[in-house]
Amino acid sequence: MDQAVRQQYDSLVEKVKSYIPNLNTTRLDDAFEYAYQAHDGQKRKNGEPYIIHPIASAFIVAEMGLDLDSIIAALLHDCIEDTGATYDDIKTRFGQPVADLVNGVTKLTRVMFTSKEEEQMENLRKMFIAMAKDIRVLLIKIADRLHNMRTINYQSEAKQREKAHETMQIYAPLAHRLGMQRIKWELEDRALQCLDPVGYSEVAEELNVRTANYTEFLERIKTRIAEHLAADDIDAVVESRVKHVYSVYRKMYSQQKSMFEIYDLYAVRIIVDTVHDCYNALGIVHELFRAMPNRFKDYINLPKANKYQSLHTTMLAEGVPFEVQIRTHDMHHTAEYGIAAHWKDKSGLEGELGSEQKLEWVRRLLESQQDTEAEDFMSGLHTDMFDDEVFVFTPKGDLINLPAGSSPIDFAYAIHSAVGNRMTGVFVNGRMANFEYVLQNGDIVDILTSAHSKGPSRDWIKMVKTGEARNKIKQWFKKECREENIAHGKSEFENELKRSGLPLSVLTNRDAVNFMLHRVSVTSLDDMYAAIGYGGHSAVKAANFLREEIVRISRLQPDKNTIEELIQAQKKPKTRPTGIVVQGLDNCLIKFARCCTPIPGDGIVGFITRGYGVSIHRDDCDNVKHSMANEAETERWIPVSWDPNFHEAYQTAIQISARDRDGLVVDVATAINMMKVPLRSINADSIGGGYAIVNAVIMVKDTAHLSTITNKLSRASGVIEVKRG
Ligand code: MN
């Protein structure tokens, strides 16, 4: 065995032992042996034996402090992808948890990122999170990428740019959300070096020159601080750091600042034992130097979403601004290693990392957007809804986003109606799948088509999830097979007549038939059958039109018409159901009050209007209180209740207070639409002071449904309050 490989592995074992002191190395050695054999003979682009890469990735995972299974999985992470190893091999030898981790990493490795469109990136990040299932998979994948970025110089230029782009768009933001600052910075700097080598070296060189100039200055500052802390008996580590290249680059180019305007270019970090000491140290620093106004931030009392805690303040000494960060050792560890550090503290090393409950916590963390640059209303809503969506790829790597539960048919129609209409088979991840297969995140879907395909089958309408696919299939039937549609629609319509007790002979009643054709907006029975056949019109509705007219005609000519007798035998037509039960009154006209738009779950009362049936109000409606106080009207109020067997949506109004900005209405409307909530009307008014009120009328099932909606909306950025209108 290569001496260098042996040494690398030994230092990995050392690293793991540093936090798992009683480590039994048998499994780890076995994994090393297995990976070594599997990658035997493979070389990396730089000429090193391939095994160096998994060892180095495992080392990064060990630096994060993850459990032994994660380290073993990191050693094996390329085995399924690049060698003959299978999931079952790994499961038999190292157990299911390890096999699942390796499998998860492999899936992420197979995701292709050829799509470069900015708006797809948030989707890709979401998909990554959704696919990873176990957060350790994400951490191992980040370690894998970090090592690849460290050795990227050996790749072709095109490959470098591609990997750097992915790193910037996917991996660095994920590391940030997971609170892993150190890894985030390194990923960003290495990616920037590939993407804009000139810009990188400009910033890096200027930073170097300045750092050289300011080294003595920083030393003086550190010494002063350290002396004063010691004088107050505060144990502290005082160190300094220079901002990483990419963050300076971003400030200089996106905010057009000069390096002189970046106040936190230099930072002095004070690490102490307790929170109490943090505030004491803060006091001392403020006595020693002059503070820049409005630059103090207390992330100890108000931690960032990714759990970052510190006190930040910017001071001025000898005319030079510098940031001071004060935190405890624990907070420092969390700042460097993020989520991994948190888990280590909370669950112990052999605890149930990756269990569902933990995952939930992590998901919430990943969803929270408050600390990202993209202060975007939509992305705030997107992420907590990614469970409703599934992200899959075309063989070329384009990302297609569909509702969860979608089938390959939905996918085919999402690409193009011609692809759907000529679909004859489907490969998912290289394997033949059936049409009812439920698409999973990250699937690569390859649709087989044939010019000789007979077109979609009617059953497909039931298999698809998206309205788009359903409409396109109907469209096809409408165009392609009129004869078949007519036959199909005719039998459906005739069945409907039978079901509702009408004899086929009603079709001989010219007037009634013409009335029906007019209502359906067609000119002949065949056209109507064709429309029913392709799903463009409902047979039930058409039959109702016919019956309506026959009833009307038979009332005008009250003679021995057999049809009329038949109709009389039918149960009398009911008023349209409304979901409201009025005690003692059947079939009365119901309307819902506009002032309070009640929905199931609300307490309600009915008001007998003068001639317009019963109007339904919420029992806490202001109008009810006023009216009940009026003696003349008291008696008109009657008890009513919701019919528990009625399940249609009701109209209600909501009011959203938000910071005013361009596109607010559109964003709210889109957000409502994304929740698949029908929107009846929407408008916004500025109320001054930079605020606006958005009024929307939506259709909801009940109060529980409404509160889900208002909760989601109120979590969006810029929104202050969501309440009922
Ligand atoms: Mn790898």
Side-chain angles (χ1 to χ4, degrees):
M1 185 181 292
D2 192 311
Q3 202 52 38
V5 170
R6 175 48 72 183
Q7 266 173 17
Q8 288 251 12
Y9 177 68
D10 288 344
S11 55
L12 171 66
V13 175
E14 280 312 300
K15 184 81 208 171
V16 180
K17 277 185 175 162
S18 73
Y19 66 97
I20 310 184
N22 52 354
L23 176 77
N24 174 350
T25 56
T26 318
R27 283 180 80 215
L28 196 57
D29 291 342
D30 193 24
F32 171 56
E33 192 59 34
Y34 185 91
Y36 187 84
Q37 295 297 340
H39 292 293
D40 192 29
Q42 294 176 352
K43 290 254 188 286
R44 303 198 80 215
K45 284 265 160 53
N46 61 5
E48 282 176 351
Y50 193 90
I51 187 70
I52 293 284
H53 166 66
I55 298 175
S57 305
F59 193 86
I60 298 169
V61 171
E63 283 179 319
M64 295 176 186
L66 291 194
D67 64 335
L68 188 58
D69 278 350
S70 303
I71 310 229
I72 291 173
L75 278 174
L76 305 176
H77 82 265
D78 278 328
C79 283
I80 294 183
E81 187 66 8
D82 294 344
T83 78
T86 66
Y87 174 86
D88 289 331
D89 287 346
I90 294 175
K91 185 174 157 189
T92 315
R93 195 146 163 186
F94 301 101
Q96 180 160 0
V98 170
D100 285 343
L101 290 174
V102 175
N103 207 29
V105 175
T106 305
K107 277 190 193 156
L108 293 185
T109 304
R110 285 178 183 158
V111 171
M112 294 178 294
F113 293 98
T114 46
S115 161
K116 298 282 184 287
E117 282 165 48
E118 207 55 40
E119 68 257 33
Q120 294 217 325
M121 286 305 167
E122 181 58 25
N123 279 341
L124 279 170
R125 288 195 285 268
K126 277 156 40 187
M127 184 196 72
F128 240 64
I129 297 164
M131 273 179 79
K133 296 207 171 72
D134 185 328
I135 196 72
R136 291 175 298 176
V137 168
L138 220 48
L139 297 174
I140 296 167
K141 190 63 202 162
I142 288 173
D144 169 45
R145 172 51 56 102
L146 181 58
H147 184 246
N148 282 334
M149 288 306 290
R150 284 177 183 170
T151 52
I152 197 160
N153 289 345
Y154 300 96
Q155 299 284 355
S156 70
E157 226 180 280
K159 195 87 183 166
Q160 286 191 24
R161 224 172 303 121
E162 186 189 319
K163 293 285 163 199
H165 189 77
E166 279 173 28
T167 299
M168 211 55 121
Q169 298 295 336
I170 306 288
Y171 292 93
L174 282 178
H176 174 74
R177 286 198 205 170
L178 293 167
M180 313 167 95
Q181 293 316 312
R182 196 189 262 246
I183 288 179
K184 178 206 165 193
W185 291 337
E186 187 177 344
L187 287 172
E188 283 177 343
D189 279 3
R190 292 191 183 276
L192 179 64
Q193 225 170 340
C194 296
L195 293 171
D196 181 1
V198 176
Y200 178 90
S201 42
E202 274 174 18
V203 174
E205 272 162 33
E206 203 177 332
L207 269 179
N208 273 339
V209 171
R210 280 168 174 266
T211 311
N213 291 342
Y214 286 106
T215 312
E216 283 183 20
F217 163 77
L218 282 170
E219 283 307 317
R220 279 197 299 278
I221 301 282
K222 282 192 317 196
T223 315
R224 266 185 88 183
I225 294 175
E227 282 171 4
H228 281 82
L229 290 173
D232 266 30
D233 271 340
I234 299 175
D235 276 337
V237 178
V238 182
E239 51 189 34
S240 57
R241 71 115 181 89
V242 179
K243 222 167 166 50
H244 75 294
V245 176
Y246 178 67
S247 65
V248 175
Y249 177 94
R250 207 182 53 217
K251 284 198 174 165
M252 287 176 71
Y253 293 96
S254 72
Q255 300 176 16
Q256 302 289 323
K257 284 185 176 167
S258 76
M259 219 178 254
F260 193 73
E261 293 168 280
I262 303 174
Y263 294 141
D264 55 355
L265 213 47
Y266 305 106
V268 172
R269 193 176 285 147
I270 304 172
I271 304 169
V272 295
D273 292 332
T274 64
V275 171
H276 186 72
D277 284 350
C278 289
Y279 290 94
N280 282 338
L282 180 73
I284 289 169
V285 168
H286 275 244
E287 272 170 27
L288 286 176
F289 310 100
R290 197 148 67 77
M292 302 268 296
N294 302 325
R295 299 280 305 174
F296 174 69
K297 288 196 186 99
D298 184 349
Y299 295 119
I300 291 182
N301 265 319
L302 277 175
K304 291 193 187 185
N306 60 16
K307 304 252 177 238
Y308 177 84
Q309 286 186 295
S310 256
L311 300 174
H312 285 192
T313 184
T314 303
M315 311 303 294
L316 205 61
E318 304 168 29
V320 181
F322 61 98
E323 187 175 72
V324 179
Q325 302 172 349
I326 306 170
R327 55 177 84 140
T328 65
H329 289 282
D330 278 355
M331 293 171 188
H332 184 58
H333 195 62
T334 301
E336 301 272 282
Y337 295 106
I339 192 132
H342 184 87
W343 276 17
K344 198 170 152 187
D345 302 341
K346 281 275 148 66
S347 60
L349 291 164
E350 300 298 334
E352 16 157 26
L353 287 133
S355 72
E356 269 311 303
Q357 212 185 354
K358 285 271 155 37
L359 197 60
E360 197 38 50
W361 180 82
V362 174
R363 277 198 198 289
R364 256 182 284 129
L365 167 65
L366 289 163
E367 284 162 20
S368 71
Q369 298 268 318
Q370 66 192 80
D371 193 37
T372 57
E373 285 86 333
E375 271 241 15
D376 174 6
F377 190 92
M378 285 312 297
S379 59
L381 285 159
H382 264 286
T383 36
D384 59 24
M385 293 195 289
F386 63 62
D387 279 348
D388 307 341
E389 297 168 64
V390 61
F391 306 91
V392 295
F393 292 90
T394 67
K396 281 186 189 156
D398 288 328
L399 182 71
I400 306 282
N401 184 357
L402 294 164
S406 288
S407 69
I409 307 173
D410 290 295
F411 176 90
Y413 279 100
I415 293 179
H416 196 278
S417 45
V419 175
N421 290 336
R422 291 182 179 177
M423 175 174 179
T424 53
V426 58
F427 280 90
V428 175
N429 303 326
R431 287 204 193 133
M432 190 73 114
N434 65 35
F435 287 15
E436 279 149 292
Y437 172 81
V438 176
L439 295 174
Q440 304 294 315
N441 276 314
D443 279 348
I444 299 168
V445 187
D446 193 0
I447 302 290
L448 302 181
T449 57
S450 158
H452 306 296
S453 147
K454 288 194 190 114
S457 128
R458 283 184 200 279
D459 302 340
W460 289 12
I461 294 182
K462 290 181 205 109
M463 294 182 205
V464 298
K465 185 92 183 171
T466 55
E468 188 188 5
R470 197 170 303 121
N471 288 337
K472 285 177 173 173
I473 296 168
K474 285 179 184 172
Q475 206 61 34
W476 188 87
F477 280 111
K478 181 179 180 181
K479 274 204 215 120
E480 298 289 319
C481 33
R482 183 171 161 86
E483 290 311 308
E484 211 182 297
N485 285 331
I486 291 175
H488 192 81
K490 186 165 191 273
S491 83
E492 203 180 315
F493 181 70
E494 290 179 355
N495 283 337
E496 181 55 33
L497 288 186
K498 270 183 227 155
R499 208 187 58 75
S500 63
L502 288 171
L504 292 183
S505 58
V506 293
L507 290 170
T508 59
N509 185 328
R510 281 259 137 227
D511 291 344
V513 167
N514 283 338
F515 172 82
M516 169 179 72
L517 295 180
H518 178 72
R519 294 297 302 269
V520 179
S521 309
V522 291
T523 48
S524 72
L525 265 180
D526 274 359
D527 283 353
M528 187 187 83
Y529 292 149
I532 293 171
Y534 73 76
H537 203 281
S538 114
V540 179
K541 274 192 188 157
N544 280 343
F545 290 140
L546 188 59
R547 180 172 54 206
E548 206 181 287
E549 185 61 4
I550 284 175
V551 170
R552 199 183 65 82
I553 293 170
S554 63
R555 287 220 181 101
L556 294 178
Q557 317 160 331
D559 46 23
K560 64 281 143 209
N561 195 328
T562 50
I563 294 165
E564 184 210 352
E565 281 166 26
L566 226 151
I567 298 298
Q568 299 300 342
Q570 297 263 310
K571 38 194 173 352
K572 29 172 194 226
K574 283 197 203 138
T575 50
R576 222 175 76 77
T578 55
I580 292 291
V581 181
V582 183
Q583 280 165 24
L585 279 172
D586 275 346
N587 279 352
C588 67
L589 184 63
I590 296 290
K591 51 178 206 164
F592 292 96
R594 285 179 162 261
C595 51
C596 55
T597 55
I599 52 175
D602 288 328
I604 46 173
V605 284
F607 180 76
I608 304 170
T609 62
R610 294 165 181 84
Y612 293 99
V614 175
S615 103
I616 308 298
H617 290 258
R618 265 150 65 183
D619 56 11
D620 58 356
C621 171
D622 282 343
N623 288 339
V624 174
K625 284 176 201 149
H626 287 138
S627 165
M628 282 191 174
N630 176 352
E631 241 175 78
E633 288 184 352
T634 320
E635 286 188 350
R636 291 184 171 268
W637 291 97
I638 51 166
V640 293
S641 57
W642 297 102
D643 176 356
N645 300 314
F646 188 77
H647 300 292
E648 279 178 34
Y650 295 83
Q651 187 166 310
T652 194
I654 53 172
Q655 191 174 74
I656 300 156
S657 322
R659 279 201 294 277
D660 199 6
R661 59 177 170 77
D662 288 343
L664 178 65
V665 174
V666 177
D667 287 348
V668 173
T670 319
I672 289 172
N673 188 39
M674 298 244 344
M675 291 185 265
K676 304 192 177 66
V677 173
L679 177 64
R680 288 283 175 265
S681 78
I682 187 163
N683 64 65
D685 287 314
S686 276
I687 52 168
Y691 294 94
I693 298 284
V694 180
N695 285 299
V697 175
I698 55 176
M699 302 296 290
V700 299
K701 290 190 207 80
D702 52 27
T703 47
H705 184 208
L706 180 63
S707 65
T708 314
I709 295 164
T710 53
N711 280 342
K712 276 187 178 165
L713 289 173
S714 59
R715 261 184 270 139
S717 97
V719 168
I720 294 146
E721 189 188 22
V722 183
K723 57 179 191 183
R724 293 182 69 167

PDB file of all heavy atoms in Angstrom, residues 74-94:
ATOM      1  N   ALA A  74     -18.630   8.158   4.524  1.00  0.00           N
ATOM      2  CA  ALA A  74     -17.803   9.081   3.736  1.00  0.00           C
ATOM      3  C   ALA A  74     -16.681   8.309   3.039  1.00  0.00           C
ATOM      4  O   ALA A  74     -16.346   8.575   1.885  1.00  0.00           O
ATOM      5  CB  ALA A  74     -17.223  10.176   4.625  1.00  0.00           C
ATOM      6  N   LEU A  75     -16.109   7.322   3.731  1.00  0.00           N
ATOM      7  CA  LEU A  75     -15.064   6.499   3.104  1.00  0.00           C
ATOM      8  C   LEU A  75     -15.613   5.737   1.900  1.00  0.00           C
ATOM      9  O   LEU A  75     -14.911   5.506   0.927  1.00  0.00           O
ATOM     10  CB  LEU A  75     -14.509   5.490   4.121  1.00  0.00           C
ATOM     11  CG  LEU A  75     -13.444   5.998   5.086  1.00  0.00           C
ATOM     12  CD1 LEU A  75     -13.105   4.919   6.107  1.00  0.00           C
ATOM     13  CD2 LEU A  75     -12.185   6.418   4.328  1.00  0.00           C
ATOM     14  N   LEU A  76     -16.884   5.352   1.998  1.00  0.00           N
ATOM     15  CA  LEU A  76     -17.482   4.526   0.947  1.00  0.00           C
ATOM     16  C   LEU A  76     -18.278   5.349  -0.059  1.00  0.00           C
ATOM     17  O   LEU A  76     -18.929   4.790  -0.933  1.00  0.00           O
ATOM     18  CB  LEU A  76     -18.422   3.495   1.588  1.00  0.00           C
ATOM     19  CG  LEU A  76     -17.818   2.591   2.675  1.00  0.00           C
ATOM     20  CD1 LEU A  76     -18.903   1.703   3.267  1.00  0.00           C
ATOM     21  CD2 LEU A  76     -16.694   1.736   2.109  1.00  0.00           C
ATOM     22  N   HIS A  77     -18.248   6.698   0.056  1.00  0.00           N
ATOM     23  CA  HIS A  77     -19.270   7.485  -0.640  1.00  0.00           C
ATOM     24  C   HIS A  77     -19.235   7.381  -2.158  1.00  0.00           C
ATOM     25  O   HIS A  77     -20.246   7.607  -2.806  1.00  0.00           O
ATOM     26  CB  HIS A  77     -19.239   8.960  -0.195  1.00  0.00           C
ATOM     27  CG  HIS A  77     -18.206   9.799  -0.879  1.00  0.00           C
ATOM     28  ND1 HIS A  77     -16.965  10.015  -0.337  1.00  0.00           N
ATOM     29  CD2 HIS A  77     -18.224  10.470  -2.057  1.00  0.00           C
ATOM     30  CE1 HIS A  77     -16.279  10.793  -1.152  1.00  0.00           C
ATOM     31  NE2 HIS A  77     -17.008  11.082  -2.204  1.00  0.00           N
ATOM     32  N   ASP A  78     -18.093   7.036  -2.746  1.00  0.00           N
ATOM     33  CA  ASP A  78     -18.058   6.915  -4.204  1.00  0.00           C
ATOM     34  C   ASP A  78     -18.097   5.469  -4.688  1.00  0.00           C
ATOM     35  O   ASP A  78     -17.980   5.215  -5.883  1.00  0.00           O
ATOM     36  CB  ASP A  78     -16.804   7.617  -4.764  1.00  0.00           C
ATOM     37  CG  ASP A  78     -17.003   9.113  -4.894  1.00  0.00           C
ATOM     38  OD1 ASP A  78     -18.148   9.535  -5.154  1.00  0.00           O
ATOM     39  OD2 ASP A  78     -16.024   9.867  -4.721  1.00  0.00           O
ATOM     40  N   CYS A  79     -18.260   4.527  -3.761  1.00  0.00           N
ATOM     41  CA  CYS A  79     -18.197   3.113  -4.157  1.00  0.00           C
ATOM     42  C   CYS A  79     -19.329   2.705  -5.083  1.00  0.00           C
ATOM     43  O   CYS A  79     -19.113   2.011  -6.067  1.00  0.00           O
ATOM     44  CB  CYS A  79     -18.204   2.211  -2.921  1.00  0.00           C
ATOM     45  SG  CYS A  79     -16.601   2.188  -2.113  1.00  0.00           S
ATOM     46  N   ILE A  80     -20.564   3.139  -4.749  1.00  0.00           N
ATOM     47  CA  ILE A  80     -21.683   2.723  -5.592  1.00  0.00           C
ATOM     48  C   ILE A  80     -21.579   3.401  -6.956  1.00  0.00           C
ATOM     49  O   ILE A  80     -21.811   2.787  -7.996  1.00  0.00           O
ATOM     50  CB  ILE A  80     -23.038   3.063  -4.925  1.00  0.00           C
ATOM     51  CG1 ILE A  80     -23.218   2.223  -3.659  1.00  0.00           C
ATOM     52  CG2 ILE A  80     -24.190   2.815  -5.897  1.00  0.00           C
ATOM     53  CD1 ILE A  80     -24.535   2.414  -2.950  1.00  0.00           C
ATOM     54  N   GLU A  81     -21.196   4.665  -6.947  1.00  0.00           N
ATOM     55  CA  GLU A  81     -21.154   5.424  -8.190  1.00  0.00           C
ATOM     56  C   GLU A  81     -20.006   4.964  -9.103  1.00  0.00           C
ATOM     57  O   GLU A  81     -20.183   4.806 -10.290  1.00  0.00           O
ATOM     58  CB  GLU A  81     -21.009   6.925  -7.870  1.00  0.00           C
ATOM     59  CG  GLU A  81     -21.108   7.843  -9.061  1.00  0.00           C
ATOM     60  CD  GLU A  81     -22.493   7.847  -9.724  1.00  0.00           C
ATOM     61  OE1 GLU A  81     -23.425   7.235  -9.159  1.00  0.00           O
ATOM     62  OE2 GLU A  81     -22.621   8.440 -10.804  1.00  0.00           O
ATOM     63  N   ASP A  82     -18.829   4.758  -8.511  1.00  0.00           N
ATOM     64  CA  ASP A  82     -17.640   4.564  -9.346  1.00  0.00           C
ATOM     65  C   ASP A  82     -17.071   3.150  -9.367  1.00  0.00           C
ATOM     66  O   ASP A  82     -16.112   2.892 -10.078  1.00  0.00           O
ATOM     67  CB  ASP A  82     -16.508   5.501  -8.877  1.00  0.00           C
ATOM     68  CG  ASP A  82     -16.860   6.963  -9.100  1.00  0.00           C
ATOM     69  OD1 ASP A  82     -17.796   7.212  -9.876  1.00  0.00           O
ATOM     70  OD2 ASP A  82     -16.221   7.824  -8.502  1.00  0.00           O
ATOM     71  N   THR A  83     -17.582   2.251  -8.550  1.00  0.00           N
ATOM     72  CA  THR A  83     -17.016   0.900  -8.536  1.00  0.00           C
ATOM     73  C   THR A  83     -18.158  -0.101  -8.626  1.00  0.00           C
ATOM     74  O   THR A  83     -19.315   0.279  -8.734  1.00  0.00           O
ATOM     75  CB  THR A  83     -16.208   0.632  -7.252  1.00  0.00           C
ATOM     76  OG1 THR A  83     -17.109   0.351  -6.188  1.00  0.00           O
ATOM     77  CG2 THR A  83     -15.336   1.817  -6.875  1.00  0.00           C
ATOM     78  N   GLY A  84     -17.819  -1.370  -8.569  1.00  0.00           N
ATOM     79  CA  GLY A  84     -18.853  -2.389  -8.728  1.00  0.00           C
ATOM     80  C   GLY A  84     -19.724  -2.597  -7.497  1.00  0.00           C
ATOM     81  O   GLY A  84     -20.649  -3.403  -7.516  1.00  0.00           O
ATOM     82  N   ALA A  85     -19.454  -1.849  -6.419  1.00  0.00           N
ATOM     83  CA  ALA A  85     -20.173  -2.103  -5.169  1.00  0.00           C
ATOM     84  C   ALA A  85     -21.661  -1.795  -5.302  1.00  0.00           C
ATOM     85  O   ALA A  85     -22.055  -0.928  -6.071  1.00  0.00           O
ATOM     86  CB  ALA A  85     -19.582  -1.239  -4.058  1.00  0.00           C
ATOM     87  N   THR A  86     -22.478  -2.533  -4.569  1.00  0.00           N
ATOM     88  CA  THR A  86     -23.919  -2.274  -4.590  1.00  0.00           C
ATOM     89  C   THR A  86     -24.405  -1.937  -3.190  1.00  0.00           C
ATOM     90  O   THR A  86     -23.707  -2.165  -2.194  1.00  0.00           O
ATOM     91  CB  THR A  86     -24.714  -3.515  -5.049  1.00  0.00           C
ATOM     92  OG1 THR A  86     -24.544  -4.531  -4.055  1.00  0.00           O
ATOM     93  CG2 THR A  86     -24.248  -4.014  -6.396  1.00  0.00           C
ATOM     94  N   TYR A  87     -25.620  -1.414  -3.150  1.00  0.00           N
ATOM     95  CA  TYR A  87     -26.277  -1.104  -1.880  1.00  0.00           C
ATOM     96  C   TYR A  87     -26.288  -2.343  -0.971  1.00  0.00           C
ATOM     97  O   TYR A  87     -25.953  -2.268   0.203  1.00  0.00           O
ATOM     98  CB  TYR A  87     -27.700  -0.625  -2.165  1.00  0.00           C
ATOM     99  CG  TYR A  87     -28.541  -0.398  -0.938  1.00  0.00           C
ATOM    100  CD1 TYR A  87     -28.497   0.816  -0.259  1.00  0.00           C
ATOM    101  CD2 TYR A  87     -29.382  -1.398  -0.450  1.00  0.00           C
ATOM    102  CE1 TYR A  87     -29.259   1.039   0.868  1.00  0.00           C
ATOM    103  CE2 TYR A  87     -30.146  -1.185   0.687  1.00  0.00           C
ATOM    104  CZ  TYR A  87     -30.086   0.033   1.343  1.00  0.00           C
ATOM    105  OH  TYR A  87     -30.839   0.231   2.464  1.00  0.00           O
ATOM    106  N   ASP A  88     -26.648  -3.487  -1.562  1.00  0.00           N
ATOM    107  CA  ASP A  88     -26.754  -4.703  -0.747  1.00  0.00           C
ATOM    108  C   ASP A  88     -25.409  -5.145  -0.174  1.00  0.00           C
ATOM    109  O   ASP A  88     -25.332  -5.567   0.972  1.00  0.00           O
ATOM    110  CB  ASP A  88     -27.393  -5.833  -1.567  1.00  0.00           C
ATOM    111  CG  ASP A  88     -28.872  -5.560  -1.792  1.00  0.00           C
ATOM    112  OD1 ASP A  88     -29.478  -4.891  -0.923  1.00  0.00           O
ATOM    113  OD2 ASP A  88     -29.405  -5.975  -2.834  1.00  0.00           O
ATOM    114  N   ASP A  89     -24.341  -5.053  -1.009  1.00  0.00           N
ATOM    115  CA  ASP A  89     -22.995  -5.367  -0.502  1.00  0.00           C
ATOM    116  C   ASP A  89     -22.725  -4.577   0.769  1.00  0.00           C
ATOM    117  O   ASP A  89     -22.295  -5.115   1.794  1.00  0.00           O
ATOM    118  CB  ASP A  89     -21.891  -4.870  -1.472  1.00  0.00           C
ATOM    119  CG  ASP A  89     -21.822  -5.726  -2.721  1.00  0.00           C
ATOM    120  OD1 ASP A  89     -22.418  -6.823  -2.705  1.00  0.00           O
ATOM    121  OD2 ASP A  89     -21.176  -5.275  -3.697  1.00  0.00           O
ATOM    122  N   ILE A  90     -22.952  -3.257   0.649  1.00  0.00           N
ATOM    123  CA  ILE A  90     -22.594  -2.362   1.744  1.00  0.00           C
ATOM    124  C   ILE A  90     -23.484  -2.623   2.945  1.00  0.00           C
ATOM    125  O   ILE A  90     -23.033  -2.630   4.085  1.00  0.00           O
ATOM    126  CB  ILE A  90     -22.683  -0.890   1.271  1.00  0.00           C
ATOM    127  CG1 ILE A  90     -21.602  -0.655   0.216  1.00  0.00           C
ATOM    128  CG2 ILE A  90     -22.510   0.069   2.435  1.00  0.00           C
ATOM    129  CD1 ILE A  90     -21.648   0.704  -0.434  1.00  0.00           C
ATOM    130  N   LYS A  91     -24.742  -2.909   2.677  1.00  0.00           N
ATOM    131  CA  LYS A  91     -25.673  -3.187   3.766  1.00  0.00           C
ATOM    132  C   LYS A  91     -25.235  -4.444   4.526  1.00  0.00           C
ATOM    133  O   LYS A  91     -25.214  -4.458   5.752  1.00  0.00           O
ATOM    134  CB  LYS A  91     -27.078  -3.370   3.190  1.00  0.00           C
ATOM    135  CG  LYS A  91     -28.149  -3.540   4.242  1.00  0.00           C
ATOM    136  CD  LYS A  91     -29.520  -3.562   3.603  1.00  0.00           C
ATOM    137  CE  LYS A  91     -30.502  -4.276   4.504  1.00  0.00           C
ATOM    138  NZ  LYS A  91     -31.785  -4.500   3.833  1.00  0.00           N
ATOM    139  N   THR A  92     -24.871  -5.490   3.781  1.00  0.00           N
ATOM    140  CA  THR A  92     -24.461  -6.736   4.422  1.00  0.00           C
ATOM    141  C   THR A  92     -23.213  -6.523   5.275  1.00  0.00           C
ATOM    142  O   THR A  92     -23.109  -7.016   6.393  1.00  0.00           O
ATOM    143  CB  THR A  92     -24.134  -7.806   3.350  1.00  0.00           C
ATOM    144  OG1 THR A  92     -25.154  -7.776   2.365  1.00  0.00           O
ATOM    145  CG2 THR A  92     -24.018  -9.176   3.961  1.00  0.00           C
ATOM    146  N   ARG A  93     -22.289  -5.751   4.745  1.00  0.00           N
ATOM    147  CA  ARG A  93     -21.006  -5.642   5.430  1.00  0.00           C
ATOM    148  C   ARG A  93     -20.983  -4.570   6.524  1.00  0.00           C
ATOM    149  O   ARG A  93     -20.357  -4.752   7.554  1.00  0.00           O
ATOM    150  CB  ARG A  93     -19.929  -5.317   4.385  1.00  0.00           C
ATOM    151  CG  ARG A  93     -18.547  -5.528   4.914  1.00  0.00           C
ATOM    152  CD  ARG A  93     -17.643  -6.000   3.819  1.00  0.00           C
ATOM    153  NE  ARG A  93     -16.243  -5.821   4.193  1.00  0.00           N
ATOM    154  CZ  ARG A  93     -15.228  -6.050   3.383  1.00  0.00           C
ATOM    155  NH1 ARG A  93     -15.464  -6.469   2.152  1.00  0.00           N
ATOM    156  NH2 ARG A  93     -13.992  -5.873   3.783  1.00  0.00           N
ATOM    157  N   PHE A  94     -21.723  -3.452   6.287  1.00  0.00           N
ATOM    158  CA  PHE A  94     -21.625  -2.336   7.247  1.00  0.00           C
ATOM    159  C   PHE A  94     -22.949  -1.931   7.884  1.00  0.00           C
ATOM    160  O   PHE A  94     -22.994  -1.014   8.681  1.00  0.00           O
ATOM    161  CB  PHE A  94     -21.008  -1.114   6.556  1.00  0.00           C
ATOM    162  CG  PHE A  94     -19.650  -1.390   5.994  1.00  0.00           C
ATOM    163  CD1 PHE A  94     -19.478  -1.631   4.647  1.00  0.00           C
ATOM    164  CD2 PHE A  94     -18.545  -1.454   6.838  1.00  0.00           C
ATOM    165  CE1 PHE A  94     -18.227  -1.919   4.128  1.00  0.00           C
ATOM    166  CE2 PHE A  94     -17.289  -1.735   6.323  1.00  0.00           C
ATOM    167  CZ  PHE A  94     -17.126  -1.973   4.967  1.00  0.00           C
TER     168      PHE A  94
END
